[in-house]
């Protein structure tokens, strides 16, 4: 057997990713204080959910996770490790992050390649690749009743799978499937690990929100004091009229009790 056979290397990385995600599923079960059944169910869901989802959508036969017993045994082994050992150390956490990042790129590439092999277009193939990579973790979070972590608030994860799937589409179309697998795995792993180390995240909705003018309703206008009172011009007070006989000469007003000759 060739030690550098790409198929053997990819299978080894794939099973390592199954083991890592089985441990991660078991870690969630430990946080929720589940029994061994919960450990096994969450480990199987996290490790094999993406591949089962991929094979079901492609309708290309029985899912590989059910035909190859190595996948089931590896996922159950991950559940047993999480149940027996509490992985809290710094190096254990780093090891799981590296293995998970490698498996993420591998699953994105294999999912995309399988979609292209059944004559799907490039965009559906990328979607299948991303679903293969993140589907297990998404289903696991839904099973435990929480919003999937890939929907926001975390470092780049699905973005790495998207980049790996896009690279696989380009290199697969050029007839370099094995090279595409290697490039996708390496790029996704580097991007995800750097994102965890640097804290890279996608921008939130409040950072690029454009506020448009909103049309107010009549009820809202009344509550806000609409219509506003109109400003009225101040009325000029009339000048006081002089008393009878006073200032008649100066003002030019005529006393009505006098005739034209000035006699009463």
């Amino acid at each position: 057997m060739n030690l550098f056979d790409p198929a053997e290397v990819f299978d080894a990385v794939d099973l390592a990713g199954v083991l890592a995600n089985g441990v991660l599923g078991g870690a969630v079960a430990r946080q929720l204080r589940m029994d061994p059944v919960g450990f096994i169910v969450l480990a199987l869901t996290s490790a094999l959910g993406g591949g089962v989802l991929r094979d079901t959508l492609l309708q290309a036969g029985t899912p590989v996770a059910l035909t190859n017993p190595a996948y089931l045994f590896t996922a159950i082994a991950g559940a047993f490790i999480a149940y027996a050992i509490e992985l809290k150390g710094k190096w254990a956490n780093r090891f799981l992050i590296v293995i998970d990042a490698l498996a993420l790129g591998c699953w994105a590439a294999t999912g995309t390649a399988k979609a292209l092999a059944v004559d799907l277009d490039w965009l559906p193939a990328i979607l299948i690749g991303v679903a293969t990579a993140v589907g297990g973790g998404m289903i696991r979070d839904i099973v435990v009743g929480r919003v999937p972590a890939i929907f926001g608030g975390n470092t780049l994860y699905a973005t790495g799978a998207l980049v790996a799937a896009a690279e696989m589409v380009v290199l697969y179309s050029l007839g370099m499937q094995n090279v595409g697998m290697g490039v996708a795995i390496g790029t996704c792993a580097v991007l995800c690990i750097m994102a965890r180390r640097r804290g890279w995240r996608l921008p939130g909705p409040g950072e690029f929100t454009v506020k448009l003018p909103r049309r107010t309703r009549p009820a809202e206008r009344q509550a806000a004091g609409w219509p506003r009172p109109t400003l009225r011009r101040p009325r000029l007070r009339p000048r006081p009229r002089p008393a009878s006989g006073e200032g008649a000469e100066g003002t030019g007003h005529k006393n009505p009790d006098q005739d034209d000759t000035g006699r009463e």
Side-chain angles (χ1 to χ4, degrees), residues 216-224:
T216 57
R217 298 178 180 178
E220 296 177 353
R221 293 178 181 177
Q222 292 182 0

Side-chain angles (χ1 to χ4, degrees), residues 77-150:
F80 177 78
I81 293 174
Y83 183 80
I85 304 173
E86 188 175 5
L87 299 174
K88 280 188 175 181
K90 179 175 65 175
W91 289 105
N93 187 32
R94 290 179 178 178
F95 175 75
L96 290 177
I97 290 175
V98 172
I99 294 299
D100 185 31
L102 291 173
L104 186 72
C106 182
W107 290 344
T110 55
T112 305
K114 286 191 175 183
L116 294 173
V118 296
D119 297 331
L120 285 183
D121 202 1
W122 65 271
L123 183 56
I126 290 177
L127 294 178
I128 292 293
V130 175
T132 304
V134 304
M138 183 174 63
I139 297 174
R140 176 200 64 209
D141 292 340
I142 294 175
V143 168
V144 298
R146 65 187 186 187
V147 178
I150 64 170

Side-chain angles (χ1 to χ4, degrees), residues 100-113 122-123 125-135 150 155-169 180 183-193 195 202:
D100 185 31
L102 291 173
L104 186 72
C106 182
W107 290 344
T110 55
T112 305
W122 65 271
L123 183 56
I126 290 177
L127 294 178
I128 292 293
V130 175
T132 304
V134 304
I150 64 170
T155 54
L156 301 181
Y157 193 77
T159 305
L162 179 63
V163 173
E167 291 175 342
M168 189 63 195
V169 166
V183 172
I185 293 174
T187 304
C188 182
V190 171
L191 180 60
C192 291
I193 293 173
L202 294 178

Side-chain angles (χ1 to χ4, degrees), residues 1-66:
M1 182 185 67
N2 187 4
L3 296 178
F4 299 99
D5 185 5
E8 296 293 337
V9 175
F10 296 150
D11 289 341
V13 174
D14 199 15
L15 289 176
V18 170
L19 179 64
N21 280 271
V23 173
L24 293 176
V28 174
R30 177 179 285 274
Q31 292 176 359
L32 300 177
R33 304 183 65 84
M34 293 184 175
D35 59 4
V37 175
F39 275 77
I40 293 176
V41 170
L42 291 187
L44 292 175
T45 302
S46 179
L48 306 178
V52 173
L53 178 63
R54 173 202 64 205
D55 295 337
T56 303
L57 291 176
L58 294 178
Q59 298 181 358
T62 306
V64 178
L66 302 179

